[in-house]
Amino acid sequence: MPSRKTVFIRAAHDSDPEARVTRALDRAVDVVGWLYNHRQGVGLFIEYDYLGHVHRYFPDYVARARFGSVIHNLIVEVKGRFDDRDRKKARRGQWYAEMLSRYDREPWHYVLLVENKPEGREDVD
């Protein structure tokens, strides 16, 4: 899909909820820019420990938004499930955003959107 607020000519996604997030980021008046974090493109990863092994986690999006006069950086992850491994990723993502905020002029936030109707989660909508 053509996008206006990203450096890429077209945006690709792995699922319908990600496509909806892409459209929302592109249309949101407070979002000034975003990118899809494909592991073979941008490749931003967060290391986390799961069952005694270190793994790499590639959050779906990185976005910048202006709330009032302050620019905020957002690490956005879209999930169709939320199991124990996903909880570990989310905790590490939250920690990562907090750590970045300590060393950056602009605050960072971790945003987890779960899209799972049977579990009553429709965060993307």
Side-chain angles (χ1 to χ4, degrees):
M1 69 191 296
S3 301
R4 300 172 304 155
K5 296 181 181 180
T6 186
V7 297
F8 302 114
I9 294 169
R10 295 200 180 274
H13 0 76
D14 293 335
S15 65
D16 177 64
E18 285 182 10
R20 294 192 337 256
V21 169
T22 295
R23 285 190 293 274
L25 289 170
D26 217 43
R27 293 178 184 151
V29 295
D30 48 2
V31 172
V32 296
W34 62 270
L35 57 84
Y36 184 73
N37 183 41
H38 192 277
R39 70 184 68 219
Q40 294 178 340
V42 176
L44 168 72
F45 67 87
I46 298 170
E47 288 186 340
Y48 69 101
D49 179 69
Y50 183 68
L51 299 177
H53 299 282
V54 176
H55 300 271
R56 288 184 173 182
Y57 158 48
F58 295 82
D60 295 317
Y61 299 89
V62 178
R64 290 172 57 89
R66 181 181 306 279
F67 302 127
S69 62
V70 179
I71 293 288
H72 293 255
N73 299 293
L74 310 167
I75 299 169
V76 181
E77 175 65 12
V78 181
K79 300 301 289 178
R81 64 176 197 282
F82 196 57
D83 60 20
D84 287 340
R85 189 172 189 159
D86 296 316
R87 284 179 182 79
K88 290 266 191 182
K89 291 178 186 180
R91 281 194 294 273
R92 190 65 174 176
Q94 180 64 41
W95 174 87
Y96 195 79
E98 290 168 3
M99 187 268 306
L100 288 172
S101 291
R102 284 195 297 267
Y103 299 101
D104 197 348
R105 293 183 316 236
E106 300 164 345
W108 285 78
H109 309 277
Y110 180 78
V111 179
L112 174 68
L113 302 171
V114 178
E115 191 67 10
N116 189 312
K117 289 181 184 184
E119 292 184 15
R121 296 285 303 264
E122 296 181 79
D123 298 350
V124 174
D125 290 337

